[in-house]
Amino acid sequence: MAMLRDHAPVERVSSTHQAKIAYVYVRQSSVGQIRHHQESTALQYRLVDRALDMGWPRERVEIIDDDLGKSGADAQHRYGFQRLIAEVGLGHAGLVVSYDASRLARNNSDWHQLLQLCSMFRVLIADSERLYDPGLYHDRLLLGLSGIMSEAELHQIRMRLHTGERQKAARGELRIPLPAGLIYAPAGGIMINPDAQIQARIEMVFDSFLRLGSAKAVVRRLRKAELALPVRPLRGPAPHEVVWRDATDGRVRNILKNPAYAGAYVYGRRCAAPERRCEGVKTPTRAIPRDEWEVCIQNAHPAYISWETHMAIDDKLADNVGNFKVGHRGMPRKGKALLQGIVMCGSCGRRMALNYSGPDSSHPVYRCRSDRATCTGQYCQEVRAPRVEAEVERQFLAALAPDHLAITLAALDAIDTDIHGLERQWALKRERAEYECERARRQYDAV
C-alpha cells in the first residue's frame, strides 16, 4: 500500500519563494543577555547560512536585529517585529528564519498573527531544525503548539523569578531602588546619604510641608528660593548618581510619600495598570493602598522622620484633595475669600459653594445650591462674602487678643527660622560649588 510522505524541505522552496527576500529575525530579551550570552546572539546571526543553504542568494537575505535587548512578551515596542509583519503583509517576504518560536514572539496573539499572514502570502518559516509551511495543516499545528509552549515557558520563568523575589523581599534582603536621601552602605544595609546638602534639602521639604500643609506650597517656596531637589534617576548612563532637578509637584510628593524616609522597608507599593497605557509609557503602574502592601518592615534602617509622621503626611496629602463626600476638606485655593470650603448654609445645613462675581470676577459670593440640585432652578440662599468675613475677622482677632504678644513673637521666631534655614541651604550650595571647582582643578592638574 502506498503511503503519503511529507514533502522534503528543499522541495517546499520554490523559485517564487527564492525570488523574494529571506528575513532572519534576531532577538535577545535584555541587554544583560546580549552582554553575557554573546554565543547565543552569534548563533542567531549564523542563521544566514541556513537561508543560503536553501537557495537564497546573499543579496536577498536580510537581517532584522532591531529588537536586541527587548522582551518578546508583546509587539508594542518591538519595531523589528512590526517591520517583519509589514514586510510579510506587503508580499516582500519568501522566508522567515528564527532560532525558535520564542525569539519571534512570547505572546500567542502576535505569534498567530504572523502565522496567519505567512499562510495567506505563502511565506515559509524556518527554525534551527525544520522548515515549515504555515499553509499546510500539520505544519500549522506544530507551529501553533510551539507558540503555546513559548508563552507557557515565559509564564513559568516569571513565576520562578517573582516567587524568589517575594521571598527575599519578605526578609528585607531584596535590593530595591533607594531615593536620593538614602544609600546602600558598603558593608551592607541602608544608611542616610552622607552628603550634607542632600540631607538638609530633604529635611527642608519635610519641615516646610509640616508647617505649610501643602505640597504645592512647598514647591513655590523652593522655586522662590531657587533651590533644586536631589533626584536619583533609575535609567541613564549613571543610574545611581544623584542629580539636581527643579522642584515640581511630582518630585515633592515622591519625597513626602516615600516610606523609605520613615525608615520602613516596603515592597509592593505599586502594581501594573495596563488600562493606563499610553504613548511614551511602557509599563504603567498605579499605587496600592498602604494596608495592602505585600511587605512593610518598620524601623528597618535610619530615617528622616518617624513612621507616625509619615502616616500623618500621607493622610494630609489625601485630605488636601477636596472631596467632601469622603470627608476630605481640600486646601484653600486662590482668591480673596476667607472662608472657602468651610461655610455651611443656615437654612438646609449643606456646604455652600464659592463663586466670584463682578466685571473682573473679584467679588466673592457664597451660594447654597441645594434647591438648584433638586431641579427648582433657584439657589437656597446667596450671601456676599465681605459682610460675613468682616464679622469673622473681628471675632477671630478678639479671641487672639489675650495672646497677641505671644503670637507675634512666635511669628517672628518662625520668620527668623526660615531665614536661617535658607542661609544654611545657600551655604551648603556654595560649599558644593567650591568643592566641584577644586575637584575639577585637581583633575586638570593631574592630566
Side-chain angles (χ1 to χ4, degrees):
M1 184 175 65
M3 298 181 61
L4 294 176
R5 294 185 179 180
D6 191 11
H7 297 289
V10 178
E11 294 178 358
R12 295 182 181 180
V13 179
S14 64
S15 58
T16 305
H17 293 125
Q18 293 174 348
K20 298 180 181 180
I21 301 174
Y23 289 97
V24 178
Y25 183 79
V26 179
R27 184 186 68 80
Q28 289 281 80
S29 297
S30 65
V31 177
Q33 288 186 359
I34 299 173
R35 188 176 299 162
H36 303 296
H37 300 87
Q38 297 180 4
E39 184 60 34
S40 177
T41 307
L43 190 63
Q44 295 184 64
Y45 277 110
R46 286 199 293 268
L47 291 173
V48 173
D49 298 334
R50 181 159 169 73
L52 297 179
D53 293 341
M54 286 187 284
W56 265 266
R58 184 62 185 86
E59 62 271 12
R60 282 202 292 273
V61 178
E62 188 171 336
I63 298 175
I64 299 179
D65 55 2
D66 303 355
D67 297 338
L68 281 172
K70 296 182 181 179
S71 172
D74 61 67
Q76 182 180 6
H77 300 286
R78 286 199 295 145
Y79 302 111
F81 185 78
Q82 295 175 14
R83 175 185 160 205
L84 177 64
I85 291 290
E87 295 294 336
V88 173
L90 291 171
H92 297 165
L95 174 69
V96 174
V97 188
S98 183
Y99 190 76
D100 53 33
S102 66
R103 300 299 175 184
L104 281 165
R106 289 281 194 181
N107 184 296
N108 265 331
S109 61
D110 299 333
W111 176 246
H112 285 286
Q113 180 189 14
L114 176 63
L115 294 185
Q116 183 67 22
L117 287 173
C118 289
S119 176
M120 291 173 58
F121 292 93
R122 309 299 298 174
V123 179
L124 302 177
I125 296 178
D127 59 16
S128 59
E129 297 179 353
R130 288 196 56 183
L131 178 68
Y132 304 91
D133 184 352
L136 299 178
Y137 171 76
H138 290 93
D139 285 5
R140 181 71 174 268
L141 181 62
L142 288 173
L143 290 170
L145 290 174
S146 297
I148 292 173
M149 296 303 296
S150 176
E151 187 173 28
E153 183 184 15
L154 178 62
H155 175 73
Q156 292 295 331
I157 292 172
R158 284 177 171 174
M159 286 296 295
R160 289 197 298 268
L161 290 174
H162 290 174
T163 301
E165 185 178 272
R166 291 190 183 97
Q167 290 179 353
K168 201 169 184 179
R171 301 191 301 268
E173 299 174 0
L174 180 68
R175 287 178 71 94
I176 57 177
L178 294 178
L182 300 170
I183 62 170
Y184 281 104
I190 299 174
M191 60 180 287
I192 291 178
N193 196 322
D195 192 314
Q197 186 182 10
I198 294 177
Q199 292 183 23
R201 197 63 48 86
I202 298 297
E203 291 170 355
M204 180 182 181
V205 171
F206 285 112
D207 293 341
S208 299
F209 181 82
L210 293 174
R211 186 167 66 257
L212 301 175
S214 168
K216 292 186 181 297
V218 176
V219 173
R220 288 193 292 269
R221 186 187 182 206
L222 291 171
R223 285 185 171 272
K224 184 178 180 181
E226 298 181 359
L227 297 175
L229 289 176
V231 178
R232 178 177 283 119
L234 299 179
R235 298 180 179 87
H240 302 294
E241 293 294 330
V242 174
V243 295
W244 293 86
R245 296 286 184 264
D246 292 336
T248 62
D249 186 60
R251 288 172 182 147
V252 169
R253 287 176 178 272
N254 286 339
I255 293 174
L256 295 173
K257 300 183 73 172
N258 198 325
Y261 285 122
Y265 178 93
V266 175
Y267 175 82
R269 289 177 59 205
R270 305 189 70 84
C271 67
E275 69 277 3
R276 296 186 177 183
R277 179 171 294 177
C278 60
E279 188 65 28
V281 181
K282 292 184 179 180
T283 54
T285 60
R286 62 176 176 84
I288 295 178
R290 187 169 55 212
D291 54 353
E292 297 180 11
W293 291 343
E294 291 188 37
V295 178
C296 181
I297 304 174
Q298 299 179 23
N299 301 320
H301 54 78
Y304 284 82
I305 57 174
S306 66
W307 179 253
E308 291 73 18
T309 303
H310 168 73
M311 290 193 295
I313 290 175
D314 202 29
D315 294 339
K316 178 61 178 176
L317 288 171
D319 190 53
N320 286 348
V321 181
N323 189 345
F324 296 120
K325 293 182 179 179
V326 296
H328 293 175
R329 296 175 297 175
M331 282 296 294
R333 300 182 180 179
K334 292 182 179 180
K336 298 180 179 180
L338 180 65
L339 308 175
Q340 52 177 304
I342 60 174
V343 178
M344 308 296 291
C345 179
S347 299
C348 64
R350 298 192 180 187
R351 196 175 299 274
M352 300 182 73
L354 175 64
N355 296 89
Y356 288 90
S357 61
D360 53 353
S361 299
S362 60
H363 301 286
V365 180
Y366 298 111
R367 288 174 179 168
C368 180
R369 300 177 178 176
S370 60
D371 288 349
R372 192 176 182 86
T374 54
C375 302
T376 59
Q378 296 181 351
Y379 295 109
C380 178
Q381 67 169 322
E382 178 179 294
V383 180
R384 298 285 174 177
R387 276 187 174 181
V388 178
E389 292 180 353
E391 180 62 21
V392 171
E393 289 175 6
R394 187 187 65 80
Q395 295 190 20
F396 179 76
L397 293 175
L400 295 179
D403 300 321
H404 181 73
L405 182 59
I407 293 172
T408 302
L409 293 175
L412 292 174
D413 289 341
I415 294 173
D416 189 58
T417 301
D418 284 347
I419 293 174
H420 285 296
L422 292 176
E423 288 178 352
R424 181 167 180 262
Q425 295 291 336
W426 277 98
L428 291 171
K429 197 172 183 179
R430 289 191 298 270
E431 183 179 340
R432 176 179 289 275
E434 292 172 356
Y435 169 77
E436 295 293 343
C437 289
E438 178 62 21
R439 180 185 179 190
R441 185 191 65 78
R442 292 198 306 268
Q443 290 176 336
Y444 177 80
D445 291 344
V447 172

